[in-house]
Amino acid sequence: MSRITVQYYAQLREQAGASIEQIDTAATTLRDLYDELCGRHGFTLPTDELKVAVNVRFSDWGRAIDDGDTIVFIPPVAGG
């Protein structure tokens, strides 16, 4: 079990109802974590439309999660 911080932006922030949360997770990869959060918050964006960063560095969806990580899911940016 890892205790991590997750930050959300744009559509994900709206769906989660928060911009940041600390959670305990048994997920072992970023993809597993996102799947868990989809179940919890009802996220509708697929992973191929998102970027993910861990501790301020873009990362691969297969990266392992470590206790204390800060993870950011970055949705596509719409301009206007």
Side-chain angles (χ1 to χ4, degrees):
M1 187 76 67
S2 298
R3 177 169 269 279
I4 59 169
T5 301
V6 184
Q7 296 177 347
Y8 306 109
Y9 294 95
Q11 180 179 344
L12 297 179
R13 180 181 59 228
E14 293 169 19
Q15 291 174 336
S19 59
I20 190 169
E21 67 178 338
Q22 281 197 335
I23 63 169
D24 294 316
T25 182
T28 57
T29 67
L30 296 172
R31 185 175 305 279
D32 293 341
L33 174 64
Y34 187 72
D35 289 344
E36 177 184 317
L37 295 170
C38 284
R40 182 182 297 184
H41 297 304
F43 293 155
T44 56
L45 290 171
T47 56
D48 63 347
E49 291 184 22
L50 299 170
K51 298 228 183 269
V52 62
V54 180
N55 304 325
V56 195
R57 294 203 144 148
F58 284 111
S59 189
D60 180 89
W61 285 99
R63 182 192 184 279
I65 294 171
D66 294 319
D67 192 53
D69 279 346
T70 297
I71 298 167
V72 182
F73 295 109
I74 305 163
V77 177

